[in-house]
Amino acid sequence: MLLSTVDDTRDFGRRLAAVLRPGDLVLLTGPLGAGKTAAAQGIGAGLGVRGPITSPTFVIARVHQGPVPMVHADAYRLGDRPDPRAEIDDLDLDASAEDAVTVVEWGEGLAEQLNDEYLQVRIDRRDDDTRAVDLVPHGGDWEARIKDINE
């Protein structure tokens, strides 16, 4: 799917939130400036979480309270260890995973271990500033849950 503006990216996140439930893991991948945080803002708005959603790059992870809480993490600065997946373990993100939707920016190759079933959202920023979004389901009922979002 193609998204023309940052607002379209947030709207996409709201639509995605409609199919999310506690225990879900969503990995947002793409280059700098692709729109990962804008998508996370839309997901948070769709889940009804309180407070602003900003990039957690410097705090690594935040918990946003709401009817369905959202754990928002950023793995961009991780990777100083020989096995950067150990750093994900140290964040203890799975402690609230059953009760919240966990959204991880830059999590590809690191955060998949948090859940056997997850959704990867690939966002690519094109030269004309549109965003190409590809939803990649991994296990579970993700494929059925996201089919209407792709249309």
Side-chain angles (χ1 to χ4, degrees):
M1 104 185 55
L2 289 178
L3 306 172
S4 298
T5 66
V6 173
D7 286 339
D8 290 342
T9 305
R10 287 187 189 103
D11 288 342
F12 157 75
R14 283 185 195 90
R15 290 193 317 273
L16 179 58
V19 303
L20 299 177
R21 55 187 178 231
D24 283 345
L25 172 63
V26 178
L27 302 182
L28 301 175
T29 63
L32 283 170
K36 296 178 292 297
T37 300
Q41 289 168 339
I43 292 169
L47 294 174
V49 301
R50 295 183 289 277
I53 295 174
T54 59
S55 177
T57 299
F58 296 105
V59 296
I60 309 296
R62 285 190 180 99
V63 177
H64 298 277
Q65 297 300 325
V68 176
M70 182 175 95
V71 176
H72 183 203
D74 188 327
Y76 183 72
R77 293 189 313 127
L78 301 182
D80 290 339
R81 293 185 183 179
D83 181 5
R85 290 174 297 172
E87 290 179 295
I88 289 286
D89 286 340
D90 289 347
L91 293 176
D92 206 20
L93 295 177
D94 54 351
S96 57
E98 290 181 19
D99 301 321
V101 169
T102 302
V103 177
V104 182
E105 296 185 34
W106 298 97
E108 186 175 27
L110 298 171
E112 294 91 339
Q113 67 193 13
L114 294 172
N115 198 330
D116 292 334
E117 303 168 359
Y118 62 93
L119 179 65
Q120 182 179 19
V121 179
R122 295 181 185 154
I123 306 172
D124 188 37
R125 185 175 178 178
R126 296 180 166 192
D127 290 339
D128 64 359
D129 277 343
T130 61
R131 272 78 174 161
V133 177
D134 187 27
L135 303 178
V136 183
H138 294 270
D141 62 350
W142 278 111
E143 197 157 327
R145 289 164 61 189
I146 64 170
K147 76 176 177 91
D148 292 337
I149 295 171
N150 278 327
E151 297 175 354

